[in-house]
């Protein structure tokens, strides 16, 4: 989790009179507990009581920071989105695609993420607020990375002008998401190499 900026050593910041001082370690513990609770019971069954119990705090500590479990989850998704995924810069289209796949596979194979992401996507179909937060955390971020990969490949002459970053994203990440999140099967040896080569070939032949 992203930690709040701290003041410089040796300086003190006085809290406004009557204001509650929210300890950052407690906030971090609550956020970690949300991930674990989502993975264990899903959004629908998740409760403030369960989060507080898992974090080792009282319910009031949670409610001081977030008014509801929805607000808590939306804040968590926004924090993850703000961390971003760095755009690769390997010097070749294949290298960039392979790097994107490596990062995506690592994230999707994480035991917590593999439980949390599908559940939140189900909830997103019912809740516009969750839908927008997920879009910002997953789609917008990855579209930005794909745009950089395509732009650099066009500049190197590896892809033609007008290549579509959205299509590139579908070809690169779509099969991996299907395999790891929908089918939930292990990746055979060499799968990412083969998938990267297939995606590059499809992009070069596009149009």
């Amino acid at each position: 989790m992203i930690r709040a900026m701290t003041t410089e050593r040796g300086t003190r910041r006085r809290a406004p009179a009557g204001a509650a001082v929210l300890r950052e370690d407690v906030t971090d513990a609550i956020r970690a507990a949300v991930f674990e609770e989502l993975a264990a019971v899903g959004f629908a069954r998740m409760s403030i009581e369960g989060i507080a119990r898992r974090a080792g705090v009282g319910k009031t500590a949670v409610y001081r920071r977030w008014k509801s479990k929805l607000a808590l989850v939306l804040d968590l998704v926004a924090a993850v989105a703000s961390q971003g995924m760095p755009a690769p810069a390997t010097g070749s289209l294949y290298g960039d695609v392979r790097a994107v796949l490596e990062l995506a596979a690592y994230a999707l194979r994480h035991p917590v993420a593999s439980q949390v992401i599908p559940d939140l996507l189900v909830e997103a179909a019912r809740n516009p607020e969750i839908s927008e937060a997920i879009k910002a955390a997953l789609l917008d971020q990855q579209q930005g990375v794909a745009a950089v990969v395509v732009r650099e490949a066009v500049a190197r002459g590896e892809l033609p002008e007008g290549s579509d970053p959205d299509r590139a994203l579908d070809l690169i990440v779509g099969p991996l998401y299907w395999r790891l999140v929908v089918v939930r099967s292990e990746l055979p040896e060499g799968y990412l190499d083969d998938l990267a080569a297939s995606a590059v070939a499809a992009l070069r032949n596009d149009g």
Side-chain angles (χ1 to χ4, degrees), residues 42-64:
F43 179 82
R45 294 175 56 198
M46 186 177 75
S47 66
I48 296 296
E49 291 81 358
I51 293 168
R53 184 166 53 251
R54 193 179 289 271
V57 301
K59 288 192 299 182
T60 55
V62 181
Y63 281 118
R64 284 194 194 105

Side-chain angles (χ1 to χ4, degrees), residues 100-111 113 176 180 187 192:
V100 169
L101 286 171
E102 187 72 35
L103 287 173
Y106 176 81
L108 292 174
R109 280 188 289 198
H110 189 283
L176 183 64
L180 291 177
L187 302 182
L192 294 183

Side-chain angles (χ1 to χ4, degrees), residues 29-97:
I30 294 170
R31 284 174 168 160
V34 173
F35 270 121
E36 295 170 3
E37 194 74 0
L38 276 171
V41 303
F43 179 82
R45 294 175 56 198
M46 186 177 75
S47 66
I48 296 296
E49 291 81 358
I51 293 168
R53 184 166 53 251
R54 193 179 289 271
V57 301
K59 288 192 299 182
T60 55
V62 181
Y63 281 118
R64 284 194 194 105
R65 293 160 172 82
W66 300 278
K67 63 182 180 181
S68 66
K69 71 174 185 179
L70 175 59
L72 206 169
V73 169
L74 293 178
D75 175 70
L76 197 64
V77 170
V80 172
S82 68
Q83 293 179 7
M85 174 188 287
T90 67
S92 73
L93 177 58
Y94 174 84
D96 287 352
V97 169

Side-chain angles (χ1 to χ4, degrees), residues 68-177:
S68 66
K69 71 174 185 179
L70 175 59
L72 206 169
V73 169
L74 293 178
D75 175 70
L76 197 64
V77 170
V80 172
S82 68
Q83 293 179 7
M85 174 188 287
T90 67
S92 73
L93 177 58
Y94 174 84
D96 287 352
V97 169
R98 182 63 176 77
V100 169
L101 286 171
E102 187 72 35
L103 287 173
Y106 176 81
L108 292 174
R109 280 188 289 198
H110 189 283
V112 173
S114 66
Q115 296 294 326
V116 169
I117 292 174
D119 185 66
L120 286 181
L121 289 176
V122 170
E123 292 299 327
R126 308 187 190 107
N127 190 312
E129 290 182 276
I130 294 181
S131 178
E132 285 301 313
I134 292 296
K135 180 177 181 294
L138 300 179
L139 181 59
D140 292 354
Q141 177 192 116
Q142 292 180 5
Q143 282 178 327
V145 171
V148 172
V149 169
V150 169
R151 183 179 69 238
E152 294 301 314
V154 169
R156 289 190 299 263
E158 292 185 272
L159 289 179
E161 292 285 347
S163 293
D164 184 2
D166 287 342
R167 174 172 164 76
L169 184 60
D170 291 343
L171 290 170
I172 297 168
V173 181
L176 183 64
Y177 183 87

